[in-house]
Amino acid sequence: MDLATILQVLDTTVRLATPLLFACLAGLFSERAGIVDIGLEGKMLAAAFLSAAIAAVTGSVWIGLSAGIVGALSMSAIHGLASITFRGNQLISGVAINFLAQGLTVVIAQSWFNQGGRTPALAGGARFHSITLPGAEALREVPVLGPIYYELISGHSILVYVALLCVPLSWWVLQRTRFGLRLRAVGENPAAVDTAGVSVERLRYAAVMICGVLTGFAGAYLATGLQAGFVRDMTAGRGYIALAALIFAKWRPWAALWATLLFGFLQALSLRPDVLEGVLRIDVSSQLLDALPYILTVVILAGFVGRAIPPRAGGEPYVKER
Amino acid sequence: MADAAPAIELKGISKSFGPVQANKDISFKVMPGTIHGIIGENGAGKSTLMSILYGFYKADAGEITIHGTPIDITDSQTAIRAGIGMVFQHFKLVPNFTVLENVVLGAEDSGLLRPSLARARRELKALAEEYELNVDPDAVVEDIGVGMQQRVEILKALYRQADILILDEPTGVLTPAEADHLFRILGNLKDQGKTVILITHKLREIMEATDAVSVMRRGEMIETVTTAGTNPTELAELMVGRTVLLQVDKTPATPGAPVLQVSDLKVEHDGVARVKGVSFEVRAGEILGIAGVAGNGQSELLEVLGGYRPATGRATVNGVDLPLSGRGADGRSRRDAGIAHVPEDRQSEGLVMEFAAWENVGFGYHHTDRYSRGTLMDHAALKADCAAKMERFDVRPPNPNLLAKNFSGGNQQKIVVAREMECDPDLLLVGQPTRGVDIGAIEFIHQQIVALRDAGKAVLLVSVELDEILSLSDRVAVMFDGRIMGERQASETNERELGLLMAGITDTDAPHSEAEIEANLARRSASAEKEA
């Protein structure tokens, strides 16, 4: 196997890991604040649809992206209202959001565009295109490092770089700022935050809204970066995979990067059965390859990978004790 | 001092939760630079009143004045700014944060943490020197003991410039040595001119630590007196509203034949020996008290005898072997063998909190003829029996349909005690019978235990309260590190002797320094932690 093939697979890995990374970080902020979010999938789906639809109508991917974020934010607001203000069950609220998004996107897409629940194919300014980093062309001929820079590091859509930047940024916010300290505290022992005179509700809403923005990016990237338009159920379980990655990463940003890259790599492999066959020298069923990320998800969610201690107050509505 | 404005003055504070009036028209003053006790039974409204002072609840009516200035405490932030700090009964710490992070949380100087943490580190050092409040700032809270965690809570309050410190039942979770340390800290705080409010239901703490004491009963403030001018008997009377016996009234025991005989009983848990071979017997008509600091194997011993923890060794009741593991080592077989068990933790072992009182009264006995008709449970019989038990044991409110969690601690315990005692056992196992139970109920439960003994039954009592052991038991065995260190006749021993045995020191006649005892205890707790 040559360098070019490896780079191709890795390049695909990065592209496929990006929506997972956005969603995983989204879940990270929400869950570190004690709000379990099984509705990542639905939020991504809503964002994917709205970003593609608005980009198609306006011809501007940036307006599309904004619309996607607004869509995911409104889903987050529902989740926040149900689980923070009304102290409902967070799992039920999340599942409801998934169903809502699954149904609404297709229905509205059909009524707006009449293309069988799709949005029109996006082109030109209505899509995120890959950008070439400075010097990539010039360095292309340098052995080994040149292709790595040109193929792997350069040539992605802007959102890929945004996602990667979100990793250190999330770490910094959580570990180095007042907001981060309080956010982590509210996911572990909200009573400690409350007795310190800080609003538990406001902190949790903030976390849920950050989650909304990040899932907005994830969805928009799916529909306007990775692909050129919305199709029904295009998230294909990525919200759940992101949750599995989050557990795998033990709710830490840097680990979330490695976990989502692992899932991205498995997805990339399933697109290139020839590579694996070349390495293993056996026939690998492509169905099995397609299923790999999901199998790993099940394994992780079933708790086979080490002991992951979730934030202690996760899933528990905060009620002042008497 | 008498001329100064009170540190706190409350006028006409009232607070209701739905139909329950927790505080009724409460007025009282706390003078600055004093330790002021607030005493009252569970549910008297002490904690509610303090939560109002801390802005956790809003009073329905009334005025609060701090150092002569009227103030409207709408939230905790206002209370903190007014110089009020609170140490809750259940600590409000983030378990996986460091001490420093916990101290800083909510009192950060700016958006970035680093400068706040640096300042807190400096201040903590100064506070530690001033008040004997030594805590490692970088220790993670879940790794340190409860005594240390409590110091973190006090540091949190002092870091927020608290000048009035409220402590809610602070000694409930502490060992006697830790409690002494706490009272030294409170004394230091007072010497520095701070005002301390100590909420407790323990008369001894009030007498030892406070300058003045306010007594609450059923949501009302009964009286405020100077500690020097009162005594425990008077305070107990004010608390309960009638004369109470602080000493158990009992005649010498007349022990009969041995009922429970235990020899070389060993318990292992996760590969760690918890009970390392104990042997003893309990005779009919006597109470054997097992004393010891919590975590020295007493709980495991009770669980083995209760039938829900496997062990090796031998135990017999009335000469019949009790299976200690495998088949027959279960609660029902134990009950069939004539053993009743009031477990240590009523909330997790004694009751199902979400079930009604009448359902709880049947647990463990639901299969008996008394409560069943064929394969069905006889609800009417259960309810009638529950009502009768509630009457006999003075459970309040006497409502069989109320969920267990809605009774106060003392009344929950009475339900458990009623269930276990009224099935006419030969042997009663009792663990911590009065933990978190108010004085009136303590008196009652103690009387019931003694009455059972006088009826010729054997009682095995496990308690970490030395007072309780001394006043109830006929004989006392002391456990330390999974072994029985010695047995004494209750009438021939004292707190000092038992205290030494509890620290693992068996030559109780020789003199021992406080440092030696603490060192022995610390060695034990260090090895216990390593094991855990």
Side-chain angles (χ1 to χ4, degrees):
Chain A
M1 192 168 38
D2 57 357
L3 181 67
T5 317
I6 295 174
L7 284 180
Q8 275 171 18
V9 172
L10 292 181
D11 181 71
T12 313
T13 297
V14 171
R15 285 190 294 119
L16 291 173
T18 296
L20 296 176
L21 181 57
F22 272 126
C24 191
L25 291 173
L28 191 145
F29 273 98
S30 184
E31 300 213 345
R32 285 302 285 263
I35 302 292
V36 170
D37 197 351
I38 206 168
L40 294 174
E41 178 88 358
K43 289 175 198 169
M44 281 165 78
L45 201 58
F49 165 69
L50 267 180
S51 59
I54 301 301
V57 173
T58 62
S60 159
V61 69
W62 293 105
I63 299 177
L65 172 67
S66 312
I69 290 174
V70 168
L73 271 176
S74 49
M75 290 287 182
S76 277
I78 296 175
H79 191 50
L81 206 64
S83 56
I84 304 170
T85 305
F86 295 117
R87 298 176 189 141
N89 184 306
Q90 297 170 11
L91 288 181
I92 292 177
S93 162
V95 170
I97 282 170
N98 288 342
F99 281 141
L100 195 66
Q102 212 176 12
L104 273 184
T105 48
V106 178
V107 169
I108 298 175
Q110 177 62 20
S111 118
W112 284 359
F113 303 108
N114 271 319
Q115 295 187 7
R118 295 164 171 265
T119 61
L122 303 173
R127 265 199 81 188
F128 281 109
H129 296 281
S130 53
I131 52 175
T132 307
L133 293 185
E137 289 289 356
L139 294 172
R140 198 174 175 180
E141 301 310 322
V142 178
V144 185
L145 289 181
I148 288 179
Y149 186 62
Y150 182 81
E151 284 283 344
L152 188 57
I153 298 177
S154 172
H156 294 291
S157 110
I158 180 85
L159 291 186
V160 173
Y161 302 107
V162 172
L164 291 173
L165 275 179
C166 277
V167 174
L169 187 67
S170 300
W171 175 85
W172 183 80
V173 166
L174 284 172
Q175 297 298 330
R176 288 286 183 262
T177 69
R178 171 172 64 193
F179 172 72
L181 183 79
R182 293 177 175 184
L183 186 115
R184 284 183 288 134
V186 90
E188 294 288 339
N189 185 1
V193 174
D194 196 14
T195 51
V198 180
S199 165
V200 171
E201 291 206 353
R202 224 176 291 167
L203 272 171
R204 288 194 159 169
Y205 266 109
V208 165
M209 288 300 143
I210 292 173
C211 172
V213 171
L214 289 173
T215 44
F217 274 107
Y221 176 77
L222 273 182
T224 61
L226 203 58
Q227 292 173 36
F230 171 86
V231 293
R232 69 180 297 163
D233 293 336
M234 74 180 304
T235 45
R238 283 186 173 86
Y240 302 108
I241 294 179
L243 274 182
L246 182 59
I247 295 171
F248 198 25
K250 302 193 167 137
W251 294 268
R252 290 169 311 186
W254 282 105
L257 173 63
W258 309 128
T260 48
L261 281 174
L262 172 65
F263 279 105
F265 178 67
L266 291 179
Q267 290 183 334
L269 270 190
S270 69
L271 296 179
R272 293 289 301 269
D274 57 306
V275 174
L276 203 62
E277 275 159 19
V279 175
L280 298 177
R281 308 212 174 282
I282 49 162
D283 253 359
V284 184
S285 120
S286 67
Q287 285 91 339
L288 181 70
L289 275 179
D290 281 338
L292 258 187
Y294 301 96
I295 292 171
L296 183 65
T297 303
V298 169
V299 168
I300 290 173
L301 288 179
F304 287 112
V305 184
R307 207 159 69 97
I309 302 164
R312 252 162 277 219
E316 292 289 326
Y318 178 62
V319 186
K320 268 186 201 198
E321 67 186 86
R322 255 196 63 187
Chain B
M1 199 58 91
D3 301 331
I8 299 176
E9 182 168 8
L10 302 185
K11 280 187 207 146
I13 297 284
S14 292
K15 172 76 184 172
S16 301
F17 295 102
V20 184
Q21 189 154 27
N23 287 155
K24 281 178 232 169
D25 190 25
I26 287 184
S27 304
F28 84 115
K29 292 179 195 173
V30 177
M31 299 313 288
T34 62
I35 299 183
H36 191 110
I38 296 186
I39 195 163
E41 299 198 278
N42 294 321
K46 304 174 301 247
S47 298
T48 305
L49 186 64
M50 292 305 120
S51 296
I52 288 172
L53 206 46
Y54 191 62
F56 221 49
Y57 302 130
K58 182 130 180 53
D60 301 334
E63 277 176 42
I64 301 174
T65 310
I66 306 286
H67 291 300
T69 320
I71 182 170
D72 184 21
I73 300 182
T74 48
D75 53 27
S76 301
Q77 203 58 264
T78 324
I80 293 168
R81 273 198 299 272
I84 300 174
M86 177 111 178
V87 176
F88 288 88
Q89 188 176 0
H90 304 288
F91 304 147
K92 310 293 184 189
L93 298 171
V94 182
N96 58 350
F97 276 20
T98 63
V99 168
L100 213 52
E101 287 173 322
N102 266 293
V103 167
V104 158
L105 179 66
E108 308 88 343
D109 301 325
S110 62
L112 294 183
L113 280 182
R114 209 183 284 261
S116 306
L117 291 173
R119 182 170 79 86
R121 191 182 291 276
R122 284 194 306 275
E123 295 223 351
L124 243 47
K125 213 169 158 210
L127 288 170
E129 280 161 19
E130 203 170 350
Y131 299 110
E132 249 191 285
L133 275 164
N134 294 305
V135 181
D136 172 11
D138 297 310
V140 176
V141 161
E142 61 194 342
D143 297 338
I144 62 181
V146 278
M148 200 77 98
Q149 292 183 359
Q150 189 171 58
R151 271 169 247 166
V152 178
E153 286 282 18
I154 296 174
L155 285 168
K156 257 168 79 176
L158 295 177
Y159 184 71
R160 288 158 172 76
Q161 311 288 320
D163 151 70
I164 299 165
L165 190 66
I166 306 170
L167 297 105
D168 190 359
E169 299 282 2
T171 59
V173 290
L174 301 183
T175 63
E178 285 173 324
D180 287 345
H181 188 165
L182 172 69
F183 287 123
R184 280 206 303 280
I185 294 169
L186 297 186
N188 293 338
L189 289 168
K190 176 183 149 181
D191 293 344
Q192 298 289 327
K194 310 250 183 210
T195 309
V196 177
I197 298 184
L198 177 66
I199 305 172
T200 180
H201 67 274
K202 294 186 185 166
L203 290 165
R204 198 166 58 175
E205 288 170 6
I206 291 287
M207 296 310 296
E208 278 172 14
T210 65
D211 299 302
V213 51
S214 298
V215 184
M216 290 186 72
R217 187 204 314 154
R218 299 204 186 151
E220 289 178 86
M221 187 58 79
I222 303 300
E223 207 171 336
T224 298
V225 294
T226 58
T227 312
T230 186
N231 58 63
T233 318
E234 186 191 6
L235 286 178
E237 246 181 85
L238 288 171
M239 270 167 75
V240 185
R242 62 180 168 83
T243 319
V244 280
L245 291 171
L246 292 177
Q247 280 299 316
V248 184
D249 204 11
K250 73 182 198 341
T251 55
T254 48
V259 173
L260 173 69
Q261 288 174 300
V262 172
S263 57
D264 200 28
L265 186 129
K266 289 180 183 153
V267 178
E268 228 179 69
H269 182 68
D270 286 345
V272 180
R274 300 282 175 186
V275 179
K276 302 173 179 172
V278 297
S279 305
F280 61 89
E281 62 174 34
V282 191
R283 293 169 167 272
E286 82 165 346
I287 300 175
L288 174 68
I290 300 216
V293 178
N296 278 289
Q298 313 96 303
S299 308
E300 287 82 359
L301 176 63
L302 265 191
E303 288 165 18
V304 167
L305 295 173
Y308 53 105
R309 183 184 280 280
T312 59
R314 186 156 183 240
T316 61
V317 168
N318 294 327
V320 180
D321 265 301
L322 293 178
L324 293 181
S325 61
R327 252 179 96 81
D330 57 65
R332 173 161 337 171
S333 309
R334 291 292 197 267
R335 290 197 171 86
D336 291 344
I339 302 177
H341 184 188
V342 177
E344 289 190 313
D345 186 342
R346 60 176 164 273
Q347 303 206 341
S348 68
E349 298 172 309
L351 297 166
V352 178
M353 301 303 280
E354 299 291 332
F355 279 20
W358 68 267
E359 293 171 296
N360 275 294
V361 150
F363 283 135
Y365 304 100
H366 49 274
H367 60 287
T368 56
D369 293 341
R370 197 150 47 117
Y371 295 140
S372 50
R373 279 179 307 188
T375 54
L376 299 178
M377 279 205 320
D378 187 348
H379 288 192
L382 272 166
K383 282 185 186 170
D385 191 48
C386 182
K389 281 188 166 65
M390 286 176 142
E391 162 117 35
R392 279 195 296 278
F393 279 76
D394 189 29
V395 176
R396 275 179 248 173
N399 176 1
N401 293 316
L402 209 59
L403 299 187
K405 66 174 180 185
N406 292 330
F407 289 92
S408 72
N411 285 304
Q412 287 172 357
Q413 188 73 339
K414 282 182 185 174
I415 294 174
V416 178
V417 170
R419 176 182 72 208
E420 300 299 332
M421 278 190 179
E422 295 224 320
C423 64
D424 192 33
D426 294 328
L427 169 68
L428 177 71
L429 310 171
V430 210
Q432 320 297 346
T434 54
R435 178 184 277 170
V437 168
D438 44 62
I439 294 190
I442 289 178
E443 181 196 19
F444 184 84
I445 290 170
H446 281 177
Q447 283 168 353
Q448 295 301 316
I449 293 175
V450 171
L452 197 77
R453 179 204 74 165
D454 291 342
K457 312 297 187 185
V459 178
L460 179 68
L461 165 74
V462 169
S463 175
V464 292
E465 299 275 350
L466 209 45
D467 290 347
E468 182 166 49
I469 290 279
L470 277 169
S471 66
L472 270 184
S473 317
D474 301 310
R475 258 182 327 124
V476 183
V478 182
M479 277 188 80
F480 172 77
D481 200 17
R483 291 193 178 86
I484 290 183
M485 302 312 288
E487 263 188 45
R488 299 285 187 275
Q489 290 296 321
S491 53
E492 292 163 11
T493 187
N494 54 46
E495 276 197 25
R496 180 192 160 274
E497 189 181 31
L498 294 182
L500 288 173
L501 289 170
M502 283 163 71
I505 298 169
T506 46
D507 54 336
T508 49
D509 292 333
H512 297 277
S513 69
E514 190 185 335
E516 183 190 345
I517 297 168
E518 281 203 14
N520 217 29
L521 278 174
R523 237 194 335 269
R524 149 79 196 136
S525 58
S527 72
E529 259 164 46
K530 213 185 291 165
E531 285 169 4

